[in-house]
Amino acid sequence: MPSGYHYRILEQRCQIETLLEMGASLQSIARVISCHISTINREVKRNAGQRGYRMKPAQHFADRAPSCGLVRAAHDRMRPCLVSAA
């Protein structure tokens, strides 16, 4: 996992949803949560549906996403196949 990378936790997602419903800007939400505006922008884009941003589906998808270690382990297992095919 890159240095400085953190998953959004449920409380932060709750804050994002509440602040968006109140009409707060992404910049002000980033200040409240103490992260970069691009982080908030990606979170909202990634998890916005027809009804806007919802924290429960966002958390559900985050919980089901493979961790970086699992992805790396799968890649390492595939590497010998990829090298021998080249």
Side-chain angles (χ1 to χ4, degrees):
M1 210 178 288
S3 176
Y5 180 83
H6 301 284
Y7 287 107
R8 301 296 105 204
I9 57 174
L10 184 60
E11 290 82 9
Q12 291 173 322
R13 289 191 169 100
C14 181
Q15 286 180 312
I16 292 170
E17 181 177 329
T18 302
L19 291 168
L20 285 172
E21 288 173 352
M22 292 171 52
S25 68
L26 296 180
Q27 187 173 15
S28 64
I29 294 171
R31 275 196 302 269
V32 169
I33 297 179
S34 300
C35 64
H36 198 275
I37 187 173
S38 65
T39 302
I40 301 299
N41 187 37
R42 279 193 309 272
E43 175 71 16
V44 171
K45 280 185 177 182
R46 183 181 299 128
N47 297 298
Q50 291 178 337
R51 298 183 324 171
Y53 181 85
R54 296 287 180 250
M55 69 172 183
K56 286 184 181 179
Q59 187 66 40
H60 174 76
F61 289 129
D63 290 342
R64 296 196 57 175
S67 71
C68 186
L70 292 175
V71 172
R72 187 176 303 120
H75 181 267
D76 289 344
R77 283 193 307 271
M78 290 176 43
R79 181 174 286 150
C81 297
L82 297 173
V83 171
S84 64

